[in-house]
Amino acid sequence: MALAKEADIALGLFTMTTERATAVDFTDHVSINYARILAARGSPEVTLWGFLQPLTTNVWIGILAALVVYMLVMVMPSCISDKTLTRSRLMRSSFHCVRVLLQQDVDEGSSWWWWERVVLGVWMLMTLVLTRSYSGNLMALLAVRLIPEPFQALEDLFKHPVQIIMVKGTAEEQAFRTATSGIKQKIWNLRKENRIMRVGAAQLDGVHVILLEGKSAMINLDVYHKKIMASEFTKTGSCMFSLGNMRYIPAVEAMAGRKDSPLVPALGRKIVQMTQSGLYDYWQKKFFPNLTSCLNSPTKFAITTPLAIRNIWGMFLLLAGGWIASFLVLFVEICFLVPLQGCPHATDERCEIDPRSFKEDNTPH
């Protein structure tokens, strides 16, 4: 309307762009905002492999590497001299570390060398600290529920097949539409998969209903996201949305007027006085009293209810997997290893007794 000279001033805040500056004149900026992602908050969930979370992946890898090093340290001296290398000593030296890690007993024999006792003592001290730390962190994690917020950056939109909502005619949509490379172009190409929903400004009042279904995410200026979050908090008293951390497309917003209109610079001076005195921020908080109520809402909270089977069934799954693996090993031993160890029955025709396997007193080796 300002371009058609039907209006002198456009009262709404518009993002300054090069294309728009060729059609209208902008006043001094009122605010600076950024495009962010708004989506519905997930419900509290329990991780299936929560019992692995007390230790990071690097720590688990370090434990496995320490086990291998410990076995090599305990076995290498025995391998130097064939006279001291026996099957029982090899098994004792290499698998005592596993027994200590699993908090099982370790036999104390007179054949232990002093250096073996020192190495085993150091390993016991390390596993003591490790197991106590693990058990303490595990108890804390089992008492905490996590609210997932998967959409923190634009890259997360590719990991989850949600529909992306954009507002027609905005500078933010134009930035994605005109992108020739990078993440913005990849997101705009998702329209070929019908994952881009373009809505008009008049439809923004109903967008929150679509977002609450959990199948969509919206890209818009964070000031409009905050208003949606504040309105929903005022109605329900709960924070139903999550705002992404990453910020994109800086938007300098101002009012617009006719080209070469004397009203634009005059109004610009008043806007500078308004923003510097803090009136704009005051008006926002006045009309949206809960504007910042959900900006730092917690994503973790403690529970006091008893643990259910759904909270720890990952441990039972691991136990079942261990049972299955042990039965498979038992089957292999019965079917393949036992027949190779000798003749189970003297009357078996398949057995051929080797005379060299007996001494002079007819006792087998």
Side-chain angles (χ1 to χ4, degrees):
M1 293 178 65
L3 179 61
K5 298 183 178 181
E6 298 176 3
D8 295 320
I9 293 293
L11 293 179
L13 295 184
F14 299 92
T15 302
M16 296 182 181
T17 62
T18 304
E19 183 180 3
R20 292 176 178 178
T22 60
V24 296
D25 286 339
F26 288 101
T27 64
D28 289 80
H29 75 275
V30 180
S31 64
I32 300 177
N33 295 291
Y34 296 86
R36 298 168 72 176
I37 303 175
L38 181 70
R41 298 187 79 190
S43 57
E45 64 179 17
V46 179
T47 306
L48 173 62
W49 305 107
F51 61 94
L52 298 177
Q53 292 181 349
L55 303 178
T56 62
T57 304
N58 294 333
V59 176
W60 288 113
I61 295 176
I63 294 174
L64 295 178
L67 283 173
V68 175
V69 172
Y70 180 88
M71 290 182 179
L72 293 176
V73 170
M74 298 294 286
V75 172
M76 285 300 294
S78 299
C79 294
I80 296 175
S81 176
D82 295 335
K83 296 180 181 180
T84 60
L85 181 59
T86 61
R87 185 173 181 270
S88 61
R89 189 177 188 84
L90 183 64
M91 295 294 292
R92 185 196 69 182
S93 301
S94 58
F95 288 103
H96 270 323
C97 57
V98 180
R99 298 180 61 87
V100 171
L101 185 62
L102 299 179
Q103 299 183 1
Q104 297 179 354
D105 63 323
V106 177
D107 60 329
E108 183 178 359
S110 59
S111 60
W112 280 72
W113 293 341
W114 65 270
W115 65 268
E116 289 180 316
R117 297 175 183 271
V118 172
V119 174
L120 186 62
V122 174
W123 178 256
M124 285 181 175
L125 181 60
M126 192 203 77
T127 54
L128 176 63
V129 177
L130 184 65
T131 53
R132 292 298 182 269
S133 302
Y134 173 83
S135 59
N137 290 340
L138 180 61
M139 292 178 62
L141 289 175
L142 291 177
V144 174
R145 292 291 181 271
L146 176 65
I147 298 179
E149 294 183 348
F151 303 104
Q152 298 298 324
L154 294 178
E155 291 78 6
D156 298 330
L157 297 173
F158 296 97
K159 303 176 183 178
H160 306 274
V162 296
Q163 200 165 33
I164 304 171
I165 301 176
M166 296 183 184
V167 184
K168 296 179 181 179
T170 59
E172 295 70 46
E173 186 209 29
Q174 181 184 6
F176 285 93
R177 185 178 65 252
T178 58
T180 58
S181 62
I183 186 66
K184 296 184 182 66
Q185 183 190 28
K186 295 179 181 179
I187 290 181
W188 185 252
N189 289 337
L190 292 177
R191 72 187 188 279
K192 301 176 182 179
E193 304 175 10
N194 295 324
R195 289 185 55 189
I196 302 294
M197 177 190 296
R198 302 170 67 239
V199 299
Q203 300 173 299
L204 287 178
D205 293 337
V207 168
H208 70 283
V209 179
I210 302 176
L211 292 175
L212 287 176
E213 296 177 357
K215 300 180 180 179
S216 304
M218 184 177 182
I219 301 178
N220 201 4
L221 293 181
D222 54 0
V223 61
Y224 301 108
H225 291 333
K226 293 175 183 177
K227 293 177 181 179
I228 294 177
M229 298 170 67
S231 299
E232 195 66 25
F233 182 82
T234 303
K235 294 177 183 178
T236 63
S238 302
C239 296
M240 308 297 294
F241 298 97
S242 65
L243 195 60
N245 292 329
M246 301 301 295
R247 300 181 179 185
Y248 306 92
I249 315 173
V252 181
E253 294 187 307
M255 299 172 64
R258 291 185 187 180
K259 271 289 187 181
D260 301 323
S261 173
L263 294 176
V264 174
L267 188 58
R269 289 190 293 269
K270 296 297 181 181
I271 288 177
V272 171
Q273 297 176 3
M274 178 191 68
T275 54
Q276 289 181 352
S277 62
L279 274 178
Y280 180 73
D281 296 334
Y282 171 78
W283 288 337
Q284 276 195 324
K285 296 178 181 179
K286 184 70 174 180
F287 286 98
F288 299 94
N290 297 313
L291 194 64
T292 60
S293 298
C294 295
L295 295 183
N296 297 311
S297 55
T299 59
K300 298 179 180 180
F301 61 95
I303 61 170
T304 56
T305 57
L307 292 176
I309 188 65
R310 66 177 181 274
N311 304 130
I312 56 175
W313 72 282
M315 294 186 238
F316 291 100
L317 183 63
L318 183 64
L319 177 62
W323 285 345
I324 295 174
S326 63
F327 282 124
L328 290 177
V329 174
L330 177 62
F331 176 77
V332 171
E333 289 180 348
I334 295 176
C335 295
F336 298 98
L337 298 182
V338 173
L340 297 177
Q341 292 179 356
C343 178
H345 303 287
T347 58
D348 195 339
E349 297 179 355
R350 295 174 297 177
C351 295
E352 296 181 1
I353 301 177
D354 189 357
R356 292 175 299 176
S357 63
F358 292 90
K359 295 182 180 179
E360 295 180 358
D361 55 355
N362 294 331
T363 58
H365 286 283

